Amino acid sequence: GQVVGVDTVLELLQISKTLYQAVYHASATALPLADNTFDYVESSDVLGHIPVSLKDQMFMEMFRVLRPGGRAVHVIET
């Protein structure tokens, strides 16, 4: 399947271009992707960088782009 990377940091997107089929310069709170696009959404060390006031919006965006029955996985680095 298609793997897409999203980040707000341009330098990291340059690295992501070597790993993912498509990359987007965007915030997790406003994903430039269509509804019901993915079977899986994964975030790696993202949650701690989102202000508490925006976390609900971020989760709503992630679930918006998930297909029905899709799964979200969140990795938190400690």
Side-chain angles (χ1 to χ4, degrees):
Q2 183 181 15
V3 178
V4 173
V6 176
D7 209 311
T8 59
V9 180
L10 289 173
E11 293 82 9
L12 295 176
L13 281 178
Q14 294 302 319
I15 297 168
S16 297
K17 286 181 180 179
T18 66
L19 302 171
Y20 304 120
Q21 297 166 334
V23 297
Y24 294 91
H25 182 234
S27 168
T29 61
L31 298 172
L33 303 159
D35 295 358
N36 305 317
T37 301
F38 299 103
D39 294 315
Y40 297 94
V41 170
E42 179 181 327
S43 71
S44 180
D45 199 26
V46 172
L47 297 177
H49 298 281
I50 304 295
V52 172
S53 62
L54 296 176
K55 285 194 193 302
D56 284 346
Q57 185 177 345
M58 179 203 67
F59 284 120
M60 287 173 41
E61 278 294 279
M62 289 180 174
F63 288 115
R64 178 184 66 76
V65 300
L66 274 175
R67 289 188 179 119
R71 298 187 184 266
V73 175
H74 305 284
V75 176
I76 301 169
E77 301 286 330
T78 58

